[in-house]
Amino acid sequence: MSKSDDHGQNPLFEPIRVGPYLLRNRIVKSPMSRMRAAQNDMPTTLMAEYYSQRASAGLIITESVQISRQGKGYRNSPGIYNDEQMRAWKTIADGVHARGAVIFMQLWHCGRLSHPDLQLNGGQPVGPSAIRPNVEVYTDSGPQAVPEPHEMDSDEIAQVVDQYFQASLRAKKANVDGIEVHAGNGFLLDQFLRDGTNRRTDHYGGSVENRVRLLIEVVEAIIPIWGADRIGVKMSPLSTYGDIRDSNPEALYSHLVSRLNGYGLAYLHFAEGELLSSRDVPGLDFARLRRMFHGPVIGNNCYDLAQATEALQSGKVDMIAFARLFAANPDLVERFRLGAELNELDVTTLQSGGAKGYTDYPKLL
Ligand SMILES: Cc1cc2nc3c(=O)[nH]c(=O)nc-3n(C[C@H](O)[C@H](O)[C@H](O)COP(=O)(O)O)c2cc1C
């Protein structure tokens, strides 16, 4: 069998229905913060070029987009909290649509993973509890240690739910096809989920039922705008990225997945294991979680073509999200299809710079 015949059988290239969309393949461009936004968190035309270069993916998930000024924790990350940003995102979405792909916007609030230098008027970052992470963030004056966050009160939590609502409305006007709610990687919603960061004694802390409350409120707030079948949720249950952990991931994620299953969401997206290093981490029966959810599941983290193929063939997941491979290979889908060599990633330009290491990776053809 020739290489191309071999890849012709590959389930990665089979279409799949996600909500109302028929994706042309099961290769997802994983969300990646590339830090190319302009002043005032504005998306740029360079970003539009970057996304449309990768539009042969079945599904493009944007980088994390802050829902509010308060949600910011990274330099040069884009926002969707004003109309100017909304119009710039529309240019990006239109470019991706012109090439036939489907694009979901990932919404985030960094919570405690921020710094006064990144906040309006030097404000204190917020979180579920006043627990300082052992993490540095990049500010205009270089990397700085993250301070202790302000513990949010119930009014401040309600404001965050409203920020998700407003951002989702603007995303709709920006003409993207759906929303991915970022509930992983140690950011605000994850900080509420896991008991290493959430020590609250009110109805947002303690039991798993209480700790999933904020995420569920966010999902329920945006369903009227988008419909559940255009909303996905990303989680990273075993990752400690962002100095975060949970004492019983099995109990937490079993409960969460069973709650989320009730809505008929577009998909669940799991960064498996330890982010950027290994999927092979004990502590969670992933196969059981997968069976509990009746919609499509995206797997992610350190997959190559062979492992992704195997994961789809075994039924472990329905789609695979690739991040670093997509950063270096705008035509990753075509390269996979041909079994071609991949470009090497330049890690020095992953989160800084302009076109270099962003839109100048060569395509095969
Ligand atoms: C530079 C960079 C930026 C990232 N930014 C995000 C992000 O904005 N949102 C997110 O959910 N994950 C983000 N991730 C994590 C990726 O989506 C993915 O989970 C991780 O890179 C593992 O996938 P991979 O092995 O295919 O690279 C980022 C990863 C990298 C390398």
Side-chain angles (χ1 to χ4, degrees):
M1 190 184 274
S2 77
K3 249 191 176 161
S4 56
D5 286 343
D6 188 14
H7 287 286
Q9 305 297 319
N10 191 319
L12 273 172
F13 305 110
E14 282 171 16
I16 180 168
R17 184 155 288 283
V18 168
Y21 307 112
L22 186 65
L23 307 185
R24 57 188 170 196
N25 59 56
R26 291 155 186 251
I27 299 171
V28 177
K29 193 212 70 74
S30 203
M32 245 184 307
S33 295
R34 302 299 309 274
M35 309 310 164
R36 262 72 173 185
Q39 276 222 316
N40 302 323
D41 307 348
M42 274 293 290
T44 63
T45 49
L46 186 67
M47 288 166 59
E49 184 185 346
Y50 166 81
Y51 282 108
S52 68
Q53 282 178 345
R54 285 154 182 79
S56 49
L59 173 64
I60 289 191
I61 305 170
T62 70
E63 65 208 277
S64 294
V65 182
Q66 51 256 16
I67 56 170
S68 61
R69 190 62 190 72
Q70 183 196 54
K72 186 176 169 94
Y74 280 64
R75 275 180 81 213
N76 303 116
S77 57
I80 182 87
Y81 54 84
N82 65 41
D83 289 347
E84 214 186 335
Q85 292 160 354
M86 179 263 286
R87 284 188 288 274
W89 277 112
K90 184 166 186 308
T91 305
I92 293 174
D94 290 347
V96 166
H97 290 152
R99 295 184 178 219
V102 171
I103 178 168
F104 275 39
M105 181 180 286
Q106 188 187 60
L107 295 184
W108 74 345
H109 186 303
C110 289
R112 69 175 192 160
L113 295 186
S114 184
H115 188 278
D117 285 6
L118 296 164
Q119 293 286 316
L120 204 56
N121 306 320
Q124 193 184 0
V126 298
S129 301
I131 301 171
R132 191 182 71 78
N134 187 14
V135 168
E136 289 187 333
V137 289
Y138 282 87
T139 66
D140 283 336
S141 39
Q144 294 200 60
V146 165
E148 183 178 292
H150 160 70
E151 177 171 322
M152 301 166 80
D153 64 26
S154 53
D155 286 347
E156 290 165 325
I157 293 174
Q159 283 161 21
V160 164
V161 176
D162 187 58
Q163 291 166 14
Y164 273 97
F165 178 81
Q166 301 297 340
S168 299
L169 270 182
R170 286 206 169 85
K172 189 94 197 247
K173 291 185 190 151
N175 208 23
V176 296
D177 302 301
I179 295 294
E180 179 171 284
V181 178
H182 195 355
N185 297 9
F187 298 109
L188 184 69
L189 296 177
D190 203 6
Q191 292 158 27
F192 272 82
L193 289 179
R194 295 202 248 178
D195 60 11
T197 40
N198 182 345
R199 303 278 166 77
R200 300 180 71 90
T201 52
D202 65 0
H203 65 305
Y204 289 98
S207 65
V208 293
E209 289 81 2
N210 284 351
R211 282 183 279 130
V212 306
R213 189 179 308 279
L214 178 57
L215 172 55
I216 296 293
E217 285 180 357
V218 166
V219 168
E220 290 188 348
I222 68 176
I223 284 176
I225 302 170
W226 278 98
D229 64 346
R230 290 175 171 86
I231 299 169
V233 175
K234 177 169 178 178
M235 292 153 279
S236 53
L238 296 173
S239 176
T240 59
Y241 184 90
D243 195 14
I244 193 164
R245 47 195 53 75
D246 192 80
S247 60
N248 189 347
E250 192 71 55
L252 172 59
Y253 289 93
S254 298
H255 177 71
L256 179 56
V257 170
S258 76
R259 283 297 307 271
L260 293 175
N261 187 48
Y263 294 102
L265 296 175
Y267 63 81
L268 295 186
H269 179 178
F270 290 96
E272 303 160 58
E274 186 61 74
L275 201 69
L276 303 166
S277 70
S278 170
R279 289 192 303 282
D280 221 359
V281 177
L284 193 63
D285 184 349
F286 187 76
R288 198 173 72 83
L289 277 193
R290 200 270 162 274
R291 284 195 302 275
M292 286 171 66
F293 184 69
H294 298 141
V297 169
I298 305 176
N300 164 254
N301 199 24
C302 305
Y303 279 98
D304 62 16
L305 173 59
Q307 294 162 343
T309 304
E310 215 275 314
L312 259 57
Q313 279 167 342
S314 69
K316 179 187 170 195
V317 292
D318 305 292
M319 296 176 271
I320 299 286
F322 299 91
R324 288 165 290 178
L325 294 185
F326 249 124
N329 297 278
D331 55 350
L332 187 66
V333 174
E334 292 76 11
R335 286 174 190 257
F336 276 173
R337 208 185 285 278
L338 296 168
E341 288 277 301
L342 300 180
N343 294 324
E344 211 171 298
L345 179 69
D346 172 10
V347 291
T348 65
T349 52
L350 261 179
Q351 294 202 304
S352 66
K356 186 172 175 317
Y358 188 54
T359 50
D360 66 350
Y361 282 105
K363 290 191 177 188
L364 271 182
L365 303 171

